């Protein structure tokens, strides 16, 4: 994929180091703020500042009241920001819909920005099943958007998965530049076949059926359905079993060119990847070498070989 623009993602402002937290601090995540910034264009949002709260400010939390989950001050529950936060979230997310965001990194545990397991208080005890009010609206209005928490990005698998999804959505939007057409979506789909196979074989088949029936939908409907199906599919981790199937599938393309020893070596490397002895990069490097030697148009356009810039070094641990 040729990256002609940075990938635009939303981010909780404190995660890229803005001092907007209740205690005038930040919660800078080095991976987001430094390591990947060359490739990403950030749209920082602090919803609490957005509703007019000061820095510093009293802490707030989620609390069950009679019929809803409310956002109130920890020390004075009569100071209720629920309606203000809902109104801000609706308006802000509507505005962001026009930005073609390709992902969003939110700050974990926050009653405003947390994506999951946020504490919700009720009479002295807390359930940890809440979602921050702003992020809830974000995920409801943009269900296709890759959303991840700062803390979860420490996990190499979750990190790689989030970056894969963000680059894929970026590629999708770039591929539609100049206007969406069925032909452009079909061409895009063709480049992502092996990626889809690696993430979820059933989705690969489902999206294949959707693409085959393109004429049954309006282009807007088709675009929306395809984007949702694509992002849902990639949420599934590309595990060793599925990756092995894809590697073996690619291996099949070189059958007629390789001699007995080369075939045995390639099979052994794929097997060692399958067993966790070698990282994914080992068989991929050898397959790329054979692809250079024996070019194949279909294979060389597959994003599976390079879902994001290799300089991000995210496949080393996979
Ligand atoms: S978690 Fe969200 S609301 Fe809290 S400081 Fe960070 S950006 Fe602002």
């Amino acid at each position: 994929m040729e990256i002609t623009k940075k990938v635009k993602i939303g981010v909780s402002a404190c995660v890229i180091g803005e001092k907007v937290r209740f205690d005038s601090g930040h919660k800078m995540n080095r991976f987001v703020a430094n390591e990947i910034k060359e490739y990403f264009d950030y749209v920082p949002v602090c919803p609490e500042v957005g509703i007019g709260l000061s820095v510093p400010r009293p802490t707030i939390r989620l609390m069950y009241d009679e019929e809803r989950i409310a956002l109130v001050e920890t020390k004075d529950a009569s100071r209720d920001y629920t309606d203000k936060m809902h109104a801000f979230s609706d308006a802000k997310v509507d505005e962001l819909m026009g930005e073609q965001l390709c992902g969003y990194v939110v700050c974990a545990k926050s009653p405003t920005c947390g994506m999951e397991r946020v504490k919700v208080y009720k009479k002295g005890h807390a359930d940890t099943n809440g979602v921050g009010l702003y992020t809830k609206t974000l995920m409801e209005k943009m269900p296709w958007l890759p959303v991840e928490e700062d803390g979860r990005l420490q996990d190499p698998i979750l990190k790689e998965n989030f970056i894969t999804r963000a680059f894929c959505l970026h590629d999708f939007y770039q591929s539609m530049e100049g206007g969406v057409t069925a032909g452009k979506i079909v061409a895009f789909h063709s480049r992502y076949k092996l990626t889809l196979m690696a993430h979820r074989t059933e989705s690969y088949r489902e999206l294949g059926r959707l693409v085959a029936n393109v004429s049954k939908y309006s282009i807007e409907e088709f675009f929306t359905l395809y984007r949702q199906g694509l992002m849902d599919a990639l949420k599934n981790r590309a595990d060793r079993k599925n990756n092995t199937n894809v590697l073996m599938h690619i291996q099949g393309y070189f059958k007629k060119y390789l001699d007995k020893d080369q075939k045995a070596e390639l099979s052994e490397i794929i097997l060692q990847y399958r067993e966790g002895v070698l990282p994914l990069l080992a068989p991929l490097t050898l397959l790329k070498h054979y692809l250079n030697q024996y070019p194949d148009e279909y294979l060389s356009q597959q994003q599976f070989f390079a879902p994001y810039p290799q300089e991000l070094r995210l496949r080393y641990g996979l």
Side-chain angles (χ1 to χ4, degrees):
M1 179 205 339
E2 202 197 338
I3 306 291
T4 54
K5 278 192 214 159
K6 287 188 173 189
V7 180
K8 193 184 264 192
I9 61 171
V11 62
S12 295
C14 58
V15 167
I16 53 164
E18 291 188 17
K19 293 181 173 174
V20 288
R21 297 193 79 212
F22 68 95
D23 57 359
S24 310
H26 59 72
K27 219 176 155 232
M28 190 169 90
N29 176 293
R30 239 178 250 155
F31 175 70
V32 180
N34 298 330
E35 289 175 36
I36 59 171
K37 72 168 186 222
E38 190 187 330
Y39 303 96
F40 289 86
D41 184 9
Y42 299 122
V43 180
V45 180
C46 176
E48 291 176 19
V49 169
I51 62 168
L53 293 176
S54 59
V55 181
R57 56 184 171 275
T59 54
I60 53 177
R61 64 184 188 178
L62 294 177
M63 201 185 78
Y64 292 109
D65 69 11
E66 299 290 291
E67 74 263 342
R68 64 177 187 174
I69 291 177
L71 185 65
V72 298
E73 276 189 16
T74 307
K75 289 197 172 151
D76 179 2
S78 70
R79 297 179 73 89
D80 187 321
Y81 301 105
T82 318
D83 293 336
K84 262 192 175 174
M85 187 56 82
H86 281 311
F88 172 84
S89 304
D90 278 335
K92 190 70 194 175
V93 175
D94 285 350
E95 182 193 316
L96 293 176
M97 297 253 244
E99 296 262 3
Q100 288 206 330
L101 291 187
C102 300
Y104 210 115
V105 179
V106 297
C107 180
K109 297 189 182 134
S110 154
T112 302
C113 293
M115 183 184 83
E116 60 179 26
R117 292 199 285 276
V118 176
K119 283 185 179 165
V120 186
Y121 291 83
K122 188 180 190 180
K123 289 182 188 151
H125 84 278
D127 293 335
T128 45
N129 58 358
V131 179
L133 290 197
Y134 172 77
T135 298
K136 189 165 189 291
T137 304
L138 177 74
M139 294 195 297
E140 280 170 3
K141 288 196 170 208
M142 300 171 79
W144 62 87
L145 189 70
V147 178
E148 195 47 277
E149 287 186 333
D150 56 343
R152 285 166 46 103
L153 288 174
Q154 309 304 332
D155 179 316
I157 290 167
L158 297 176
K159 177 167 37 179
E160 197 269 347
N161 181 273
F162 175 73
I163 298 293
T164 299
R165 286 186 284 151
F167 270 93
C168 175
L169 190 53
H170 177 72
D171 188 10
F172 183 62
Y173 288 144
Q174 276 206 322
S175 305
M176 299 305 130
E177 256 173 29
V180 180
T181 65
K184 284 182 187 173
I185 298 182
V186 172
F188 173 90
H189 179 70
S190 170
R191 292 194 288 116
Y192 276 86
K193 280 189 177 173
L194 297 186
T195 304
L196 285 164
M197 243 190 233
H199 282 261
R200 190 167 177 265
T201 318
E202 294 83 352
S203 304
Y204 163 73
R205 292 202 196 97
E206 284 158 21
L207 281 172
R209 276 194 294 275
L210 178 70
V211 167
N213 288 314
V214 55
S215 58
K216 292 187 181 161
Y217 304 93
S218 71
I219 192 65
E220 294 78 18
E221 240 182 321
F222 185 58
F223 173 86
T224 305
L225 284 172
Y226 186 83
R227 178 178 59 184
Q228 189 66 55
L230 177 69
M231 288 295 109
D232 286 347
L234 264 53
K235 244 189 215 171
N236 297 280
R237 181 194 160 194
D239 60 16
R240 280 184 191 262
K241 182 170 164 276
N242 281 6
N243 274 334
T244 301
N245 289 342
V246 172
L247 294 168
M248 287 166 69
H249 181 81
I250 299 170
Q251 182 184 27
Y253 280 80
F254 300 115
K255 237 187 341 202
K256 56 180 181 278
Y257 304 114
L258 306 184
D259 65 27
K260 211 169 125 225
D261 288 347
Q262 288 172 317
K263 281 183 199 163
E265 181 199 33
L266 182 53
S267 295
E268 180 59 22
I269 288 178
I270 294 175
L271 184 70
Q272 290 195 3
Y273 162 69
R274 173 80 175 89
E275 289 171 349
V277 178
L278 289 175
L280 178 60
L281 270 185
L284 264 186
T285 305
L286 188 53
L287 286 169
K288 275 191 204 168
H289 165 74
Y290 286 137
L291 185 56
N292 278 335
Q293 248 183 313
Y294 310 109
D296 179 276
E297 209 186 318
Y298 171 74
L299 278 190
S300 53
Q301 60 160 359
Q302 289 303 311
Q303 293 302 130
F304 178 76
F305 286 104
Y308 40 75
Q310 147 167 326
E311 295 72 27
L312 286 169
R313 304 162 72 94
L314 296 173
R315 271 178 159 173
Y316 285 71
L318 300 184

